[in-house]
Amino acid sequence: MTLERRSAPRSWSDIALTVWGVLVLLFLFAPIIVIVIYSFNSGRLLVAWDGFGFDGFRAIVEKPAIQNAVRVSIVTALISAVIATVLGTLAGIAMARHPGRWVWWFLGLLLLVSVTPEIVDAVALLPFLVFLGQDLGLALFNDGIVRLSIGSSLFATAVVSYIVRARLVGQEANLEEASGDLYATPLTTFRRITLALAMPAVLAGFLLAFTLSLDNTIIAAFVQVSGTTPWPVYVLSAVRSGLRPEIAAVSTIMLLLTLVALALVALVLRRAGDSASQIARTMTGG
């Protein structure tokens, strides 16, 4: 005779925690859901719903100012992601493979970069770039893309460093030692062994750095120059004249781009054999 298992009734505390969790998720994601819905608003202003349509998405193709702002943001994000990935990867490998007291001091400096308010970074970065570009005559630092890329890569470099270090710190250095015993040069060992082991974290760090650079608003507002206005600053200036549906349309596209990048991060780490907990640990730099 088969005995049917009866699930135990859920306690009131479990039900309350479930309801509370759902309410928290709604609180966090309701504004995002609203902006996605209103991106299909056919009205002239975003706050006034006039009907369903694709006018906001058509405006992206028709308005050169929007195209330029999106182009500047994407180009800047790519360049800053490359800078952050190179610097962060080298820093993460150094911290993982050469431990010592200096690592904790260096981690403290990275943490300082991570927690420093963006307004402080922006105020400090602007006169520094002006000094390099005008006082020293280095014309490179007068270019808007260069300024935006440097500003966006500050926080992203720290994030990549955390991720790469978290990837390598739990792995033994036996392969590097064996490569040295087989008379491989340090450069060959680094390229074929160390970098190969860190590559999933490097790719994940690059994608995260790209997404972080897309929404850099405060620093971008300070260091931008005429003709290279990124998308977040364009939106900030558009608030004064009233938000239009095309603002929500581009924001929806960037949201999808961010979600795709995060999904690729998880996919890269999953294909590298990481479990869900390891993926979370790597992405948070733990």
Side-chain angles (χ1 to χ4, degrees):
M1 186 174 67
T2 304
L3 297 177
E4 295 183 359
R5 292 186 178 180
R6 295 182 180 180
S7 58
R10 300 181 63 184
S11 64
W12 66 268
S13 58
D14 290 340
I15 297 175
L17 288 174
T18 301
V19 173
W20 179 255
V22 172
L23 291 176
V24 170
L25 290 176
L26 287 175
F27 176 78
L28 292 175
F29 291 101
I32 299 176
I33 296 173
V34 169
I35 202 67
V36 172
I37 294 174
Y38 271 78
S39 65
F40 297 96
N41 181 17
S42 60
R44 191 177 69 88
L45 294 177
L46 186 63
V47 295
W49 179 269
D50 287 350
F52 183 87
F54 296 92
D55 297 346
F57 293 93
R58 281 197 294 266
I60 300 175
V61 182
E62 297 171 355
K63 293 187 176 182
I66 295 179
Q67 297 176 15
N68 182 67
V70 174
R71 180 188 63 82
V72 169
S73 289
I74 293 178
V75 171
T76 299
L78 286 173
I79 296 176
S80 63
V82 171
I83 296 173
T85 301
V86 172
L87 297 179
T89 298
L90 295 177
I93 292 175
M95 288 187 291
R97 288 296 181 254
H98 300 282
R101 184 176 297 178
W102 74 273
V103 173
W104 301 109
W105 288 101
F106 192 74
L107 282 173
L109 293 176
L110 292 178
L111 181 62
L112 182 63
V113 173
S114 303
V115 302
T116 300
E118 281 192 71
I119 187 66
V120 176
D121 291 333
V123 172
L125 193 60
L126 178 59
F128 177 66
L129 293 176
V130 171
F131 171 76
L132 293 176
Q134 298 183 7
D135 297 345
L136 295 184
L138 302 176
L140 177 68
F141 295 97
N142 291 325
D143 184 81
I145 297 294
V146 173
R147 287 187 171 195
L148 291 170
S149 300
I150 294 175
S152 299
S153 63
L154 294 177
F155 178 73
T157 300
V159 172
V160 176
S161 301
Y162 295 144
I163 293 175
V164 174
R165 177 181 178 271
R167 175 73 182 179
L168 291 178
V169 74
Q171 298 183 2
E172 299 293 337
N174 296 336
L175 292 177
E176 286 99 327
E177 295 173 358
S179 177
D181 293 339
L182 295 174
Y183 304 103
T185 64
L187 181 60
T188 301
T189 301
F190 174 80
R191 181 170 55 87
R192 294 190 176 182
I193 307 298
T194 308
L195 193 58
L197 291 173
M199 187 54 65
V202 173
L203 295 177
F206 174 83
L207 293 171
L208 285 177
F210 176 78
T211 58
L212 290 172
S213 301
L214 281 178
D215 65 347
N216 196 320
T217 306
I218 299 177
I219 293 179
F222 273 74
V223 304
Q224 67 157 343
V225 298
S226 178
T228 55
T229 301
W231 176 250
V233 180
Y234 179 89
V235 174
L236 191 62
S237 61
V239 174
R240 303 169 185 171
S241 59
L243 287 176
R244 300 183 181 275
E246 54 263 27
I247 302 294
V250 178
S251 300
T252 300
I253 293 175
M254 287 196 166
L255 172 64
L256 293 176
L257 187 63
T258 302
L259 293 177
V260 169
L262 292 177
L264 288 175
V265 170
L267 179 62
V268 166
L269 295 177
R270 174 66 70 179
R271 290 179 65 88
D274 289 5
S275 63
S277 59
Q278 289 174 324
I279 292 174
R281 178 174 177 268
T282 299
M283 293 179 66
T284 55

